[in-house]
Amino acid sequence: MPVVIGFEGSANKIGVGIVRDGEVLSNPRRTYVTPPGQGFLPGDTARHHRACVLAVLQEALREAGLKPSDIDAVAFTKGPGMGAPLVTVAVVARTVAQLWGKPLLGVNHCVGHIEMGRLVTGAQNPTVLYVSGGNTQVIAYSEHRYRIFGETIDIAVGNCLDRFARVLKISNDPSPGYNIEQMAKKGQKLVELPYTVKGMDVSFSGILSHIEDVAHRMLAAGECTPEDLCFSLQETLFAMLVEITERAMAHTGSHEALIVGGVGCNERLQEMMAIMCRERGAKLFATDERFCIDNGAMIAQAGWEMFQSGQVTPLEDSWITQRFRTDEVEVTWRD
């Protein structure tokens, strides 16, 4: 019964999780929160992770009731993500692996989300909608690869939401996306916004530029409320995502859809996806904020799958990369 510890720190979350044979034993994390109107910079985020990571590691071991000698392998996020935070976490993982005499496992962040979603929901072979602050992809498994059927051609959906939150000075605590979601529930008016689907791909930079341009003018003129703008942005973005996911499901003949990534927590996105799935006679799988948002257990779970299939990462290959596509990973643990 292998026990794998996972270190995640590709963006503003630092998490350490421990998994044993499909059971999450612990999964603590910390979030770097910046003032309203500001994003998080790589250097500042890395400093936050360095300050927190050892406390989070101790907390994970304590919650799991384990000692370093009980751990069989050490997994870490190899990429994609922000350079400085990734380096911080990789250095800690390498150090721990050498101190404890354990093998290393370099995990693709996106694959970590997918494997965590499959574990928690029990989805067998779903079409995956992966939506976060740094990634937006529609994915399906075929012949030992997670194939990308559609994706953003510019910015991620979460980045679009985060940057709009800065326009309205919406709080980053607990996250700008969550606060937009709560405001959107009070929206009454649908403001028409650009809708850009290009084949199987989506574009979010134009809708962001447009809403940045008109927001303050419309608010000053009393044409809408901040809540209306949040509601309108969500409805438009999510309709685009549902469209390309449905098209991928039709192409693959899939009867399962799985939403992963931080934006996957959004209840309105889950509701819209559920309607689409119901109309297709398909089933929707989604998780809550414990596992949707970046966390160490998802890296541990993907690492566990790799370890079980005989994969390890030599120390000299344990570098990080900011660009690491989902379909670059050979999925040796699936048929």
Side-chain angles (χ1 to χ4, degrees), residues 2 8 26 59 67 72 83 110 249 266:
E8 156 58 27
S26 62
E59 187 179 336
K67 306 182 296 297
D72 294 299
C110 317
M249 292 177 74
N266 189 293

Side-chain angles (χ1 to χ4, degrees), residues 188-208:
Q188 301 291 322
K189 177 182 178 183
L190 183 66
V191 177
E192 188 172 343
L193 298 171
Y195 183 100
T196 315
V197 173
K198 302 187 176 188
M200 282 299 297
D201 296 328
V202 288
S203 170
F204 299 123
S205 59
I207 187 171
L208 177 65

Side-chain angles (χ1 to χ4, degrees), residues 14-327:
I14 176 74
V16 181
I18 301 176
V19 168
R20 178 175 57 207
D21 292 339
E23 180 187 1
V24 178
L25 303 180
S26 62
N27 198 21
R29 68 176 166 227
R30 304 281 189 278
T31 303
Y32 175 51
V33 178
T34 54
Q38 296 182 25
F40 49 91
L41 298 172
D44 297 336
T45 308
R47 277 187 285 275
H48 168 268
H49 290 2
R50 284 198 295 272
C52 292
V53 65
L54 294 182
V56 179
L57 170 57
Q58 290 169 340
E59 187 179 336
L61 288 168
R62 190 168 57 248
E63 275 184 26
L66 298 176
K67 306 182 296 297
S69 58
D70 299 319
I71 304 296
D72 294 299
V74 177
F76 70 99
T77 303
K78 189 177 178 70
M82 299 169 72
L86 281 171
V87 168
T88 299
V89 173
V91 167
V92 173
R94 281 188 214 113
T95 305
V96 164
Q98 290 178 88
L99 284 172
W100 297 353
K102 309 297 180 182
L104 265 175
L105 299 158
V107 172
N108 179 287
H109 179 86
C110 317
V111 172
H113 273 296
I114 296 169
E115 294 306 335
M116 195 76 228
R118 290 179 62 230
L119 171 68
V120 171
T121 65
Q124 295 301 306
N125 189 27
T127 297
V128 180
L129 174 61
Y130 171 33
V131 278
S132 69
N135 299 276
T136 301
Q137 297 175 342
V138 177
I139 300 159
Y141 174 78
S142 176
E143 297 180 349
H144 298 291
R145 300 274 170 174
Y146 283 117
R147 312 287 177 175
I148 299 170
F149 280 74
E151 60 191 319
T152 175
I153 59 173
D154 40 52
I155 61 173
V157 63
N159 187 240
C160 182
L161 291 166
D162 292 351
R163 286 165 65 178
F164 174 65
R166 291 180 220 166
V167 173
L168 296 188
K169 298 288 193 291
I170 294 171
S171 172
N172 291 323
D173 189 12
S175 73
Y178 175 81
N179 294 324
I180 285 175
E181 179 184 0
Q182 304 317 307
M183 290 177 68
K185 291 174 181 176
K186 302 171 187 171
Q188 301 291 322
K189 177 182 178 183
L190 183 66
V191 177
E192 188 172 343
L193 298 171
Y195 183 100
T196 315
V197 173
K198 302 187 176 188
M200 282 299 297
D201 296 328
V202 288
S203 170
F204 299 123
S205 59
I207 187 171
L208 177 65
S209 298
H210 176 78
I211 202 167
E212 284 177 337
D213 181 52
V214 304
H216 291 302
R217 189 165 68 246
M218 292 183 74
L219 292 171
E223 296 175 28
C224 65
T225 66
E227 289 78 8
D228 292 335
L229 289 175
C230 291
F231 167 71
S232 303
L233 182 62
Q234 271 200 174
E235 293 296 302
T236 308
L237 296 179
F238 295 169
M240 293 159 62
L241 295 172
V242 171
E243 178 184 335
I244 63 170
T245 306
E246 182 171 23
R247 198 175 291 131
M249 292 177 74
H251 181 80
T252 60
S254 173
H255 295 289
E256 294 179 329
L258 170 65
I259 311 175
V260 300
V263 181
C265 298
N266 189 293
E267 292 177 355
R268 178 55 182 156
L269 175 58
Q270 292 183 13
E271 182 183 10
M272 291 170 73
M273 284 283 290
I275 292 168
M276 178 271 286
C277 287
R278 193 161 57 245
E279 290 175 350
R280 293 187 58 78
K283 187 173 182 182
L284 177 69
F285 296 89
T287 66
D288 59 31
E289 47 82 28
R290 291 174 300 163
F291 302 115
C292 258
I293 296 170
D294 292 352
N295 63 91
M298 73 185 206
I299 302 304
Q301 175 60 20
W304 185 90
E305 295 280 12
M306 292 169 64
F307 190 60
Q308 286 287 82
S309 66
Q311 285 195 53
V312 292
T313 303
L315 188 63
E316 59 270 21
D317 293 335
S318 64
W319 37 266
I320 59 94
T321 173
Q322 291 177 266
R323 291 174 173 81
F324 189 8
R325 286 178 62 80
T326 315
D327 52 8

